[in-house]
Amino acid sequence: MDLKSSHASPVLTDPVPVNKSRLRMHSSLLGYSQQDSPLSPGKCSRSNSRKSTGSVDDVRSNGWLDAMKASSPPRKKLLKGSSAQVASIDSDLEDYYSWMLEYPSALDSFEKIIDLAKNKKIAMFLDYDGTLSPIVDDPDCAFMSESMRTTVRSVAKCFPTAIISGRSRDKVFDLVKLTELYYAGSHGMDIIGPVSEILSKNHPNCVKSTDHQGKEITLFQPAREFLPMIDEVFRTLVEITKDIEGAKVENHKFCVSVHYRNVEENNWTTIGQRVHDVLKNYPRLRSTHGRKVLEVRPVIDWNKGKAVEFLLESLGLTDRSDVLPIYIGDDKTDEDAFKVLRESNRGYGILVSSVRKESNAFYSLRDPNEVMKFLQLLVNWKGQERKHGKK
């Protein structure tokens, strides 16, 4: 296997020939594509004339539509300055502050967190979208600010730090552009970590290699056998959603994202049904719900929580009472990591949210700006520790 990279994050270059006979395109999907009117690059035409032969009741009866709506609360449309708007804002704030009694602000609770971090080694885990960068309409434009990049670089100089994202590992590296970090893409199914003999023995999917700087690394890809299948599903989903205005499909190497953030809500059932119909032909794949996105993933026992455990093991920080892992994330997929830290009683999950959400996290932050403030407080605290001769 050849590891190539134009950055510090190596890319496994193992081209997989696509067997067209394995595509398994169901005949009911043929009506989705617009073969009679080719689209110009970058543009979508809107059409509701083509219908799935599958019943739209499928996505309603199995809870898909409810889950899509629950993970994507609609924006309130109220007249500016109206009494209804003022009352709504007051109600939302009251509800949020009530929720914060259960999930206190990590900024307000910083001293309490640090008290427990004394004489311990912090390991930092960060989601990307909605945590280090704002949620935006176009996922290709989810850029982190230079001040956030500087802050994350400072954090990595103080503590072992990893980004765990649903994006492909290469894509999130291109967005973060920091070589000081470890990266886990595809919800933890594509990890770069330090070399460890124990890892190689315990995890058969580990591959030893070096990055372009000559630094030894471990590449871990527990879902590698799914690459051809993911590629097939990606191409199918691109084809069958191209007539839905605003739909965007992304290939994250070991998973596929179908974004409906820019799709009219009355078309959510259509996009959910089409994804549902595709997955009927791929029993080894499943769909999970994020913030206005459907994620198609392999059916394996692996998630962001497992990725945290793997990275802790690779860093030699497993089963140690002097380690305090902290995970900051905003998405439903981050709950697996929050749950691991809560159930093991060994660290803290911090949920990034400006609205009430049930979570396995201990603390909360409102938005990426508050995340940056929290990280800066950690860096400043560590600087003071070092001034006093503490490691």
Side-chain angles (χ1 to χ4, degrees):
M1 282 178 280
D2 179 27
L3 282 169
K4 297 181 180 179
S5 175
S6 58
H7 303 290
S9 177
V11 181
L12 187 64
T13 57
D14 48 347
V16 181
V18 176
N19 184 344
K20 293 183 179 179
S21 66
R22 296 181 65 248
L23 191 56
R24 296 186 288 277
M25 279 278 282
H26 196 276
S27 59
S28 66
L29 302 178
L30 298 178
Y32 292 150
S33 61
Q34 290 184 310
Q35 298 175 354
D36 54 341
S37 56
L39 302 173
S40 58
K43 295 185 178 180
C44 299
S45 65
R46 188 171 179 178
S47 171
N48 294 320
S49 62
R50 292 168 174 81
K51 298 180 180 179
S52 164
T53 57
S55 170
V56 294
D57 289 335
D58 286 350
V59 294
R60 294 191 179 104
S61 62
N62 64 21
W64 271 44
L65 186 59
D66 289 340
M68 290 171 73
K69 290 181 177 180
S71 63
S72 315
R75 296 175 181 175
K76 296 182 179 180
K77 298 180 180 179
L78 296 170
L79 294 176
K80 186 176 181 181
S82 68
S83 58
Q85 183 189 43
V86 173
S88 176
I89 292 173
D90 288 344
S91 176
D92 288 347
L93 286 174
E94 182 179 352
D95 187 57
Y96 183 73
Y97 289 131
S98 173
W99 173 78
M100 286 181 67
L101 295 175
E102 186 174 356
Y103 304 95
S105 165
L107 292 175
D108 295 341
S109 307
F110 185 75
E111 291 300 323
K112 181 178 180 181
I113 294 172
I114 291 310
D115 282 344
L116 292 171
K118 289 178 180 178
N119 302 317
K120 290 188 177 183
K121 185 181 183 71
I122 290 177
M124 182 62 62
F125 301 95
L126 303 164
D127 183 25
Y128 181 78
D129 292 274
T131 300
L132 301 182
S133 73
I135 295 294
V136 295
D137 289 341
D138 184 352
D140 290 335
C141 297
F143 303 117
M144 67 191 301
S145 66
E146 283 304 318
S147 55
M148 178 67 89
R149 183 172 289 105
T150 299
T151 299
V152 174
R153 180 185 286 113
S154 298
V155 170
K157 290 179 179 178
C158 297
F159 319 106
T161 304
I163 306 289
I164 304 180
S165 172
R167 292 178 182 264
S168 71
R169 175 170 50 81
D170 300 323
K171 180 63 176 178
V172 76
F173 178 83
D174 287 341
L175 290 166
V176 177
K177 296 182 173 68
L178 294 175
T179 59
E180 297 90 344
L181 315 178
Y182 299 109
Y183 291 88
S186 303
H187 301 293
M189 289 181 282
D190 190 7
I191 303 177
I192 279 184
V195 170
S196 169
E197 294 296 333
I198 296 177
L199 282 180
S200 299
K201 292 179 181 178
N202 294 345
H203 302 278
N205 291 298
C206 284
V207 178
K208 289 184 181 180
S209 189
T210 58
D211 60 25
H212 78 289
Q213 296 176 322
K215 180 182 178 181
E216 290 189 330
I217 56 94
T218 294
L219 182 65
F220 180 63
Q221 298 175 326
R224 190 160 173 246
E225 65 177 292
F226 288 86
L227 281 172
M229 189 182 298
I230 291 293
D231 184 63
E232 292 172 5
V233 170
F234 166 69
R235 291 187 288 113
T236 302
L237 290 173
V238 167
E239 181 66 22
I240 68 170
T241 60
K242 67 182 183 182
D243 66 321
I244 302 176
E245 185 176 3
K248 184 180 180 67
V249 184
E250 289 188 297
N251 187 338
H252 294 307
K253 192 166 184 175
F254 293 98
C255 58
V256 176
S257 295
V258 182
H259 298 272
Y260 56 92
R261 178 170 298 276
N262 298 318
V263 175
E264 291 292 334
E265 188 171 344
N266 57 7
N267 283 329
W268 287 8
T269 302
T270 302
I271 200 168
Q273 186 64 51
R274 294 184 184 182
V275 174
H276 180 267
D277 285 351
V278 169
L279 293 187
K280 286 180 179 179
N281 300 298
Y282 291 87
R284 298 184 69 197
L285 299 178
R286 64 188 175 100
S287 175
T288 58
H289 302 269
R291 293 174 66 172
K292 294 189 178 178
V293 62
L294 294 171
E295 302 272 8
V296 177
R297 303 161 62 178
V299 180
I300 63 171
D301 185 22
W302 199 263
N303 51 47
K304 288 186 175 182
K306 297 282 188 179
V308 167
E309 292 177 323
F310 177 88
L311 284 164
L312 286 172
E313 183 181 358
S314 69
L315 292 164
L317 302 178
T318 301
D319 299 326
R320 285 177 50 175
S321 60
D322 62 340
V323 174
L324 182 70
I326 297 176
Y327 188 107
I328 307 178
D330 75 305
D331 196 71
K332 188 175 181 179
T333 58
D334 298 310
E335 289 297 325
D336 293 314
F338 296 155
K339 185 178 180 182
V340 163
L341 297 184
R342 177 179 283 274
E343 291 184 348
S344 63
N345 195 30
R346 60 181 308 194
Y348 294 114
I350 302 177
L351 175 66
V352 183
S353 179
S354 60
V355 297
R356 172 185 289 271
K357 286 184 182 179
E358 291 304 311
S359 176
N360 285 301
F362 280 92
Y363 297 102
S364 67
L365 292 166
R366 192 174 184 89
D367 52 35
N369 285 331
E370 288 201 353
V371 171
M372 185 166 66
K373 290 177 183 177
F374 177 80
L375 295 178
Q376 289 169 343
L377 286 174
L378 277 179
V379 170
N380 293 339
W381 167 76
K382 190 62 178 179
Q384 291 298 318
E385 289 268 290
R386 287 173 174 170
K387 278 185 180 179
H388 291 87
K390 298 180 181 181
K391 294 183 180 180

